[in-house]
Amino acid sequence: MFSREEIETIEAAIQREETPRSVSIAAMRFIQKQRGYVSDQSLADLAPMLGMSVSGLESVATFYSLIFRKPVGRHVILVCDSVSCWILGRERPLDHLRRRLGVDLGQTTADDLFTLLAIPCLGACDRAPAMLIDETLYGPLTPESIDEILSSYRELDR
Amino acid sequence: MTATETPLTRDIRPGEAPPGLREYESKGGYSALRKALRQMSPDEVIDEVRASNLRGRGGAGFPTGMKWGFVPKKDETSTRRYLAVNGDEMEPGTFKDRLLMEGNPHQLLEGVILASYAIQADLAYIFIRWAYHPAFNRLRAAAGEAREAGYIGKDILGTGFNLRVHIHGSAGRYMCGEETALLSSIEGSPARPRAKPPFPPVVGLYGKPTIVQNIETICNVPHIVNKGASWFRSLARSDDAGTKLYGVSGRVNRPGIFELPMGTPIREIIEDHAGGMWDGVRLRGFLPGGGSTRFLLEEHLDLPMDFGHIEGAGSRLGTGTMIILDDRTCPVGLLHNLEHFYARESCGWCTPCRDGLPWVEKTLDAIEKGEGRIEDLDVLDRHCTLLGPGRTFCALAPGAMDPLASGLEFFRADFVTHINDGKCPWG
């Protein structure tokens, strides 16, 4: 169940929008920010608020690649996999990330600290190869810079 | 000619906080809004934009003023109208709109208000891709300031014009950048494209007339209103007006975004502004306007970078952000990377795109690994026709075939070498 604050936030957004359904993506982003991901229960609670069926809302949730339907780590690492980063050798920093984290793309570390995912062109071609951790952009990446970045997040969460 | 004028980026300080409302105003900000709302009718704003010869900066290059003219006039119909500004910058190799959104959010907002006034919209959406968190946060903050100052809201500047502005944060998928898919997404549905016609200026968001416009296009509007159409045309070095945010990425010394007169020669952009190629690396070709444009070659380097000349050479200006293929980079691998992107980002709505792109991707994967057969080239050639213009529901698959078809044409020998040698020569 959503908290009263969550319900009030979603209802206020519905008041501002043209139709309740228009809020679906903003509401799922909000829930994800609150709870880390959008669970089956969250979909079931949210759908009636938007005048949608649960399956209708699920079809929206699963269309958008950054609505997480499964739990993710505390920090989500999105590694750019597009052409400019590829030209500048994205494989080397990516392999380094895989080794350091002990996971492949699509997986979460055993300590639930990081989830590693690929993302289309981050619009950071002048900083290629690039990645985003949560809301922060990093690049150009080297194995050395990756070690520094990862340890700063580990410090943060100690 | 005033070649050094950079109206769009003049007040942008990369890496620093953007100008706030006070600073923006002190540099002439929101004066175009005062001028338009107090001295110009909506049609006069459209006429000025039409006369400026501004063409869309999102890829298609459609004349902006003409598009605005397609919206039914308020005295002909009482229906509502919308503006939707496309900040879903996900075209591979494209990173220009991020600079404008992060660097000067009030400039974008002033353009949004002016464009809304011109088409008499009372609600404008700015659609921002997930990954652009600073752009999203800065635009939200700037919109709050503009509301406080009375530039957004009810009875703007006491003129009776009302406008709400919604900053919409998206949740991934390249498809959202297609203009009709973007409208579906704002309505809270999966971002699938819609049949055209009817076109959005007549039937758009919630079935109402809607203008969809790229971020860079909209950022030009305050300057056109302030300084006039002939000033804007005089900025360019060719027939296409204004300045353009050009991008260069790949193995160049200073990859980046450069605001230059429209029609600046390609060689000048790469050599003088992007610092030329790395030592010991040669340019073999380049995609002039993002991932969905056809390759051009060394022989095209002296062309002016504008709509007409790039089209004349068989490609498209697109987003104006070039991706450079050098002689140490495998063209098959580059195309494999691009087609992997398009195959994943297809929305799955129409069969040629949904089934054709993964086939193309797998074929390229096999060739790159040295497991291809010579008949695979026929498979790729055939897809370039079968996924071409008119065969699919929207422009995603034809855009995916543009680099492939031109790559097969210009770098065919490299494909054949992979197949004959059973490995990638760049391995």
Side-chain angles (χ1 to χ4, degrees):
Chain A
M1 289 301 280
F2 296 145
S3 68
R4 231 184 68 196
E5 289 74 25
E6 286 170 332
I7 291 171
E8 281 170 4
T9 302
I10 295 165
E11 280 178 345
I14 291 170
Q15 290 307 311
R16 284 194 299 271
E17 259 304 344
E18 298 292 271
T19 68
R21 184 192 175 102
S22 313
V23 171
S24 64
I25 293 158
M28 288 191 286
R29 273 176 61 129
F30 168 67
I31 292 302
Q32 185 163 298
K33 196 153 194 173
Q34 296 287 110
R35 296 167 176 243
Y37 76 111
V38 179
S39 67
D40 290 351
Q41 186 62 51
S42 293
L43 279 187
D45 292 341
L46 182 57
M49 296 178 74
L50 306 177
M52 295 172 76
S53 67
V54 178
S55 61
L57 184 59
E58 172 137 40
S59 78
V60 179
T62 53
F63 183 90
Y64 293 93
S65 48
L66 292 161
I67 299 297
F68 303 134
R69 289 283 286 113
K70 288 194 279 191
V72 291
R74 202 172 315 154
H75 304 290
V76 176
I77 305 180
L78 299 165
V79 187
C80 179
D81 73 354
S82 290
V83 63
S84 302
C85 285
W86 179 83
I87 292 172
L88 290 176
R90 68 179 286 276
E91 282 305 322
R92 198 164 154 254
L94 178 59
D95 281 342
H96 191 77
L97 268 172
R98 285 187 178 110
R99 269 198 309 275
R100 276 284 181 270
L101 299 174
V103 295
D104 204 347
L105 290 168
Q107 297 176 339
T108 299
T109 55
D111 58 3
D112 281 334
L113 200 51
F114 297 106
T115 295
L116 186 64
L117 296 170
I119 190 169
C121 185
L122 276 174
C125 314
D126 50 346
R127 296 172 64 178
M131 70 176 177
L132 193 69
I133 302 188
D134 303 331
E135 302 197 355
T136 309
L137 185 67
Y138 297 96
L141 297 174
T142 60
E144 297 73 43
S145 72
I146 285 172
D147 285 344
E148 255 173 60
I149 295 161
L150 290 182
S151 54
S152 73
Y153 280 85
R154 290 207 167 98
E155 285 295 311
L156 210 69
D157 285 278
R158 184 157 293 166
Chain B
M1 189 185 70
T2 42
T4 52
E5 271 192 85
T6 54
L8 297 179
T9 55
R10 191 190 60 198
D11 298 327
I12 292 180
R13 299 175 296 252
E16 286 180 44
L21 179 68
R22 290 283 162 272
E23 185 189 342
Y24 182 70
E25 286 176 322
S26 74
K27 291 176 171 165
Y30 291 111
S31 59
L33 183 65
R34 283 176 217 283
K35 178 179 174 184
L37 259 59
R38 291 187 175 144
Q39 299 166 29
M40 297 168 81
S41 69
D43 276 348
E44 283 170 337
V45 177
I46 297 180
D47 288 342
E48 197 67 34
V49 171
R50 194 185 278 123
S52 78
N53 199 18
L54 173 65
R55 293 175 63 176
R57 303 312 199 217
F62 196 84
T64 305
M66 188 194 288
K67 194 198 270 187
W68 295 5
F70 294 152
V71 175
K73 298 296 170 205
K74 209 164 187 178
D75 50 9
E76 292 163 11
T77 160
S78 62
T79 196
R80 293 180 59 202
R81 300 158 194 75
Y82 298 97
L83 177 73
V85 185
N86 188 346
D88 190 63
E89 183 168 70
M90 287 176 81
E91 180 68 25
T94 300
F95 51 115
K96 67 185 182 69
D97 294 335
R98 179 165 66 87
L99 180 72
L100 294 171
M101 289 189 276
E102 288 180 4
N104 199 349
H106 279 292
Q107 171 177 258
L108 172 60
L109 286 173
E110 188 175 8
V112 165
I113 305 163
L114 285 166
S116 301
Y117 175 69
I119 63 166
Q120 291 288 288
D122 64 2
L123 177 54
Y125 290 88
I126 303 177
F127 189 104
I128 303 174
R129 72 174 289 195
W130 170 283
Y132 284 3
H133 298 284
F136 180 76
N137 295 333
R138 289 171 182 192
L139 272 162
R140 290 238 309 208
E145 285 185 314
R147 251 175 237 124
E148 286 280 302
Y151 297 131
I152 295 173
K154 287 216 163 77
D155 192 22
I156 297 170
L157 301 174
T159 60
F161 175 58
N162 304 321
L163 177 69
R164 290 180 298 146
V165 176
H166 287 189
I167 316 289
H168 176 89
S170 186
R173 295 307 288 274
Y174 173 65
M175 203 53 233
C176 296
E178 198 277 343
E179 65 169 357
T180 60
L182 180 135
L183 301 179
S184 302
S185 188
I186 292 175
E187 291 174 7
S189 295
R192 294 203 189 95
R194 304 173 179 182
K196 293 191 276 195
F199 290 91
V202 180
V203 180
L205 204 48
Y206 308 108
K208 303 288 201 304
T210 303
I211 288 294
V212 185
Q213 214 78 68
N214 167 263
I215 297 285
E216 185 185 350
T217 314
I218 289 290
C219 287
N220 277 297
V221 175
H223 304 289
I224 292 169
V225 168
N226 249 337
K227 297 181 183 161
S230 54
W231 165 82
F232 188 73
R233 288 198 310 271
S234 78
L235 292 174
R237 286 169 68 175
S238 69
D239 292 343
D240 292 320
T243 61
K244 178 78 191 79
L245 262 57
Y246 295 115
V248 185
S249 66
R251 290 186 164 131
V252 290
N253 289 313
R254 289 194 303 273
I257 296 292
F258 314 100
E259 184 183 9
L260 298 169
M262 181 67 95
T264 300
I266 298 164
R267 192 187 299 279
E268 205 175 304
I269 300 170
I270 297 175
E271 295 290 328
D272 299 353
H273 298 282
M277 302 298 293
W278 290 0
D279 268 351
V281 171
R282 257 182 81 84
L283 177 146
R284 281 192 79 196
F286 59 98
L287 301 166
S292 315
T293 55
R294 289 175 62 93
F295 274 105
L296 293 180
L297 302 171
E298 216 179 343
E299 70 198 60
H300 299 115
L301 285 177
D302 291 313
L303 285 178
M305 186 75 171
D306 66 11
F307 292 104
H309 287 91
I310 302 301
E311 229 167 87
S315 189
R316 286 187 306 115
L317 180 67
T319 57
T321 46
M322 309 173 210
I323 304 155
I324 297 189
L325 170 71
D326 63 86
D327 62 352
R328 282 204 262 153
T329 298
C330 172
V332 177
L334 185 148
L335 287 163
H336 178 206
N337 176 280
L338 280 175
E339 299 307 330
H340 168 74
F341 164 83
Y342 291 112
R344 179 183 59 200
E345 297 301 323
S346 168
C347 76
W349 185 246
C350 70
T351 308
C353 183
R354 182 189 60 227
D355 290 355
L357 287 172
W359 194 357
V360 166
E361 187 200 346
K362 283 176 193 153
T363 307
L364 287 168
D365 182 48
I367 296 174
E368 192 191 1
K369 283 188 196 145
E371 295 165 7
R373 297 170 308 168
I374 203 75
E375 306 88 82
D376 288 339
L377 296 182
D378 300 333
V379 171
L380 294 177
D381 286 336
R382 215 159 47 236
H383 275 82
C384 293
T385 308
L386 292 173
L387 304 191
R391 309 278 188 137
T392 59
F393 202 79
C394 82
L396 185 140
M401 292 303 101
D402 275 343
L404 179 63
S406 56
L408 283 164
E409 185 185 338
F410 298 142
F411 311 117
R412 201 168 192 93
D414 295 316
F415 283 79
V416 174
T417 306
H418 279 79
I419 293 167
N420 288 345
D421 295 359
K423 64 180 173 62
C424 173
W426 284 269

